[in-house]
Amino acid sequence: MLKDKEFGVSLTSEQRAATIREFRENMALLGLTADQIGADFGVSGAIITNIIELRSGVLEYPWIVRGYLLDKVAAEGVNPIPFSALRGDPHGYWFLDDRIIDANRLN
């Protein structure tokens, strides 16, 4: 089980693999690359890759990218690939910083 040391939040290896797959499937559904997403956020594609592979070190970043992808699929009128671990409103999770999510920025 993978664990964030500061918050004690855990994902099993299966949840981690599923989340990475779900990011990639939603990107493929939209025809988006990490570089294209990065350009929208003003960061490199490598940063986006780290985020979608859950290696960014910032718990809120995957939620920001998830929101971006869900907004994009809604605008396209297609059904997203559901996220199994990143579900619901991130504002409802005590361990996430609402200010980071609401800023909608990646550094």
Side-chain angles (χ1 to χ4, degrees):
M1 197 178 271
L2 301 168
K3 193 173 233 180
D4 180 274
K5 293 176 185 154
E6 182 179 356
F7 297 106
V9 178
S10 301
L11 286 180
T12 65
S13 57
E14 292 84 14
Q15 288 172 315
R16 183 179 178 86
T19 301
I20 293 168
R21 184 182 67 250
E22 292 154 2
F23 271 119
R24 294 199 182 281
E25 289 175 354
N26 277 297
M27 289 169 63
L29 181 67
L30 293 163
L32 291 173
T33 66
D35 288 334
Q36 290 168 312
I37 296 170
D40 284 347
F41 281 102
V43 299
S44 71
I47 289 174
I48 299 301
T49 299
N50 281 338
I51 292 168
I52 66 171
E53 291 179 356
L54 306 177
R55 294 182 289 145
S56 71
V58 180
L59 291 175
E60 291 80 7
Y61 285 1
W63 287 92
I64 291 170
V65 174
R66 170 194 172 263
Y68 166 91
L69 291 171
L70 293 179
D71 288 346
K72 289 280 189 189
V73 294
E76 294 286 324
V78 296
N79 291 322
I81 305 302
F83 285 91
S84 52
L86 301 180
R87 60 178 180 242
D89 182 353
H91 294 90
Y93 291 94
W94 63 269
F95 53 86
L96 297 174
D97 187 332
D98 292 345
R99 296 169 297 172
I100 293 172
I101 293 168
D102 293 340
N104 202 39
R105 287 190 321 231
L106 306 173
N107 298 325

